Amino acid sequence: MIEVADLWFTYPEGTIALRGVSLRIGDGESIAIMGENGAGKTTLVKHFNGLLKPQKGTVLIDGVDTREVSVAKLAKKVGLVFQNPDHQLFSSTVEEEVMFALKNLGFTSEEIKERTNWVLKFLDLEKYRERSPLSLSGGERKRVALASVLCVKPKILVLDEPTIGQDAKQKRKLGELLKKYQEEGNTVIVVTHDVEFASKYFKRIVVMAKGKVIADGPPNKVLTNPTILNESSLTPPQVAILSYEIAKKINNFPKDIVLFNDLLQEVITRVKR
Amino acid sequence: MSYTMFSAFEFKRKDTYIHNLDPRTKMFMTLIFMTVALLFTSIVPLLITFIATLIPVLLAKSVKEWLSSLKGTTMLLVFILVINSFVRDLNFAVAMVLRLIVLITAFSAFFLTTHPDDLAQALIQMKVPFDFAFALSMATRYVPTLAREAQTIMDAQMSRGLELQRGGLTQKIRNLIPLIIPLIVNSVRRAMSIAESLESRAFGAIKKRTYLYQLKLTKGDFLFLCFLIMYFVTMIYLKFYFPFTTWMEWKLPL
Amino acid sequence: MVLIEIKNLSFTYANTEEPAIKNIDLTINEGEFVLLTGPSGCGKTTLCRCLNGLIPHFYNGEMEGDVIIDGLNTKEHPVYELAQKVGLVFQDPENQLVSLNVEKELAFAPENLGLPREEIRKRVEETLQLLKIEHLRHKAPYELSGGEQQRVAIASVLTLKPKILVLDEPTSNLDPKGAEQVLKTIKKLNEELNVTIILIEHRLDLILPYTSRVVLMDKGEIILDAPPYEAFCSSIPEEIGVDVPVSIKLYNELLKIGMKFNKVPLSTKDAAELLTEVLK
């Protein structure tokens, strides 16, 4: 469980990135943190594994204050995957890349082997085991970067902009993998601009603007609210626009559908009636 | 940490007399302040020099920025103070610290108020080849980007349990590998990508390039240059022809 | 008028075995708005690089076939000459903005050509006005939002007055509002100045209503080249993993249950109108 209470953070050059954020994330949740560039999303998630320590307020991970433990210690519980895979890949093979975190965190060689095998299988990377990560394509590198954090099996997995540079198929695959990992009882948190991805795979949307949380709720409530979207430079998902436009003309047609299949079912039942 | 160090000397756009001076005028200014600082070794004349150097900083309304660049060098200043008081005496040590402060102030007064692109343009008009001037302006343009990138790489690897302080000396050096390799790989990728974009904008099309801006010395520049020369002549006179009066040789009451 | 003519083009990068693109034949007329899409690694970016001569002049490798841009064969003309016909805009604005002020950024390309100062000034002013970015003129890249940065990047190639604009995923790094601004700018250039557009883009929902043609690539080859309503009604996009816009996806599903419509909805707005009719 993550408990953030009245968190403030200012960068040395004077930018106030967080202005009193309070947030509670329970075990096993699936959350998308959204908002425009510079809203403070990345600054917030860097507090989850102690890369940044609160200047005011507190961040508790399972009751432990992040100020009192090292990043390495928190890394066992909170895995943070950065946006650009090239900021972390450096090993000569994919296998070594994955083993790096496991070795740093002091797992036994038995466990290292087992977890490496598990993660390569889970992310469909077995065929690249001996390849150099740098020789892989962008989408594959992104999966290796994910593997290099996921191997620890963190109870809380955080991904910063995981869909940038991914095509539709890769996004779908990623969305499903994250869903699977979450359904095994883990918390999955993404920071993203991608309204389509967020509305499809995540149950709770946290919207940030100018260092504050301005909305927090299910996709169909948050991503269909014009005031919230306007304040955060987001646009509604296409399905929501469609449902909203239809609802304007058709009596009691729901105006907050965000999932394609829900919309399709709604239309079909009405047509058949 | 690294980020603040770079931002201390970073140019900030403001509309003041000093900001609007020609970079060549300001280059001359820094050169004169440096020369004068190197002429003297006692406290009082260096104090006068320091006050003179402070004038452009005040006129540029950049006191805050100047202080933060000084703050970045505190360690160095303390080091110089300690070493020199051991080697010579406290008087000399204080003078040397003052001299360094003058040098830093002279450089800040230049870099805090001069747009890097204007600097490049000034160099070009001083007959420095375009490629060189352009490389310089690109370097200043991308320093903050690289600093930010280095920070992100460090964060990413720490998130994978890397502890830089762990182990003996060889281990500590080995700890840097996960930082250095991504930094190199990214810089090369970035360089390729920048080169591609430059090519696509006709970079290097012909030898004789034109420039949108052309720097011109204005009345303000000439006025400032006059003051500089007057100041320089006075200081030279003080140094070589004017027998130092007692107050100029004043020492700390120890 | 034919502006781009690609004949039997293949290219293999140095130190690789598989060709990145092969057997490409493509003819594009002045004023067209072409959406180029396909799964990642399909060769879209390589094709873009062939259009302004970065291939074969900047990238090493083996090139077969010909690319003729407004009468110039790319093999015989240097990049700076082709750059005046084809403006290329890339994904990451950070790597395209090399000056510390917008005006200078816009002047950079014409300066490289050695144009007279008055002409450069004129082009810079025109472009600032056209893209409505006059207020940004003295700003440094890091003072701009992502959408503004990318519009400046577009402006910085427009000062070469190219007839063709090629944009390689220009909105990937942007938030939705920034992306919308950039796409609107592109549409405006096409409609008002008749600039020929070749756009690689994943946000099909927003851009499809503007496009006149969809070119789909997979594994280095063009596998489909058709008007938008035709391209997305076929099953090919789904098969190669390209997202189908919601409006067309819904249309396809409703066809399956036996409903009939007299036109294909290309935009969400079209789809809303169509469905409102049906549901009334």
Side-chain angles (χ1 to χ4, degrees), chain A residues 260 264 268, chain C residues 228-238 242-261 263-265 271 274-275:
Chain A
F260 180 79
L264 183 64
I268 291 177
Chain C
Y229 56 87
E230 216 178 293
F232 286 100
C233 290
S234 83
S235 60
I236 294 175
E238 283 273 26
V242 167
D243 239 350
V244 177
V246 166
S247 51
I248 301 187
K249 211 159 118 190
L250 195 64
Y251 168 85
N252 286 342
E253 289 297 323
L254 293 176
L255 286 187
K256 278 187 204 156
I257 63 158
M259 292 178 68
K260 288 199 169 56
F261 304 95
K263 71 170 198 176
V264 186
L274 220 60
L275 283 170

Side-chain angles (χ1 to χ4, degrees), chain A residues 167-168 170 233 235 238 242 249, chain C residues 39-40 176-177 180 205 241 268 276:
Chain A
D167 65 30
Q170 291 165 334
S233 280
T235 50
Q238 293 301 315
L242 202 46
K249 309 251 173 61
Chain C
S40 69
K177 284 271 161 69
E180 223 175 77
D205 292 289
T268 309
T276 315

Side-chain angles (χ1 to χ4, degrees), chain C residues 41 48 53 72 91 109 113 116 147 156 186 198 203 246 267 274:
Chain C
C48 289
L72 305 181
Q91 182 178 337
L113 293 179
S156 77
I186 297 169
I198 298 171
R203 301 180 205 234
V246 166
S267 68
L274 220 60

Side-chain angles (χ1 to χ4, degrees), chain A residues 172-231:
Chain A
R172 212 173 307 139
K173 207 164 157 185
L174 176 75
E176 270 146 28
L177 283 168
L178 294 180
K179 213 165 173 183
K180 197 168 151 202
Y181 191 65
Q182 183 251 332
E183 281 164 1
E184 286 170 11
N186 303 294
T187 309
V188 175
I189 303 170
V190 295
V191 169
T192 185
H193 285 142
D194 193 329
V195 280
E196 309 292 338
F197 184 74
S199 58
K200 213 160 151 191
Y201 297 104
F202 294 84
K203 297 199 184 86
R204 179 175 163 196
I205 309 283
V206 172
V207 181
M208 292 184 69
K210 302 195 177 79
K212 286 187 181 151
V213 171
I214 60 162
D216 183 350
N220 65 335
K221 291 284 170 286
V222 174
L223 294 177
T224 54
N225 182 326
T227 335
I228 297 169
L229 295 171
N230 225 335
E231 250 180 274

Side-chain angles (χ1 to χ4, degrees), chain A residues 1-4 24-31 33 45 47-49 59-64 66 74-81 146 149-159 178 181-182 185-190, chain B residues 159:
Chain A
M1 167 138 73
I2 305 176
E3 290 160 282
V4 181
R24 234 180 122 87
I25 300 175
D27 289 338
E29 283 204 64
S30 86
I31 296 193
I33 301 176
V45 297
H47 279 87
F48 293 170
N49 73 343
V59 178
L60 305 182
I61 306 294
D62 286 344
V64 178
T66 58
L74 282 166
K76 276 195 170 180
K77 223 173 240 175
V78 185
L80 181 52
V81 187
L146 172 57
V149 171
L150 189 59
C151 59
V152 178
K153 296 198 185 172
K155 243 180 81 185
I156 301 165
L157 179 67
V158 188
L159 300 97
L178 294 180
Y181 191 65
Q182 183 251 332
N186 303 294
T187 309
V188 175
I189 303 170
V190 295
Chain B
S159 302

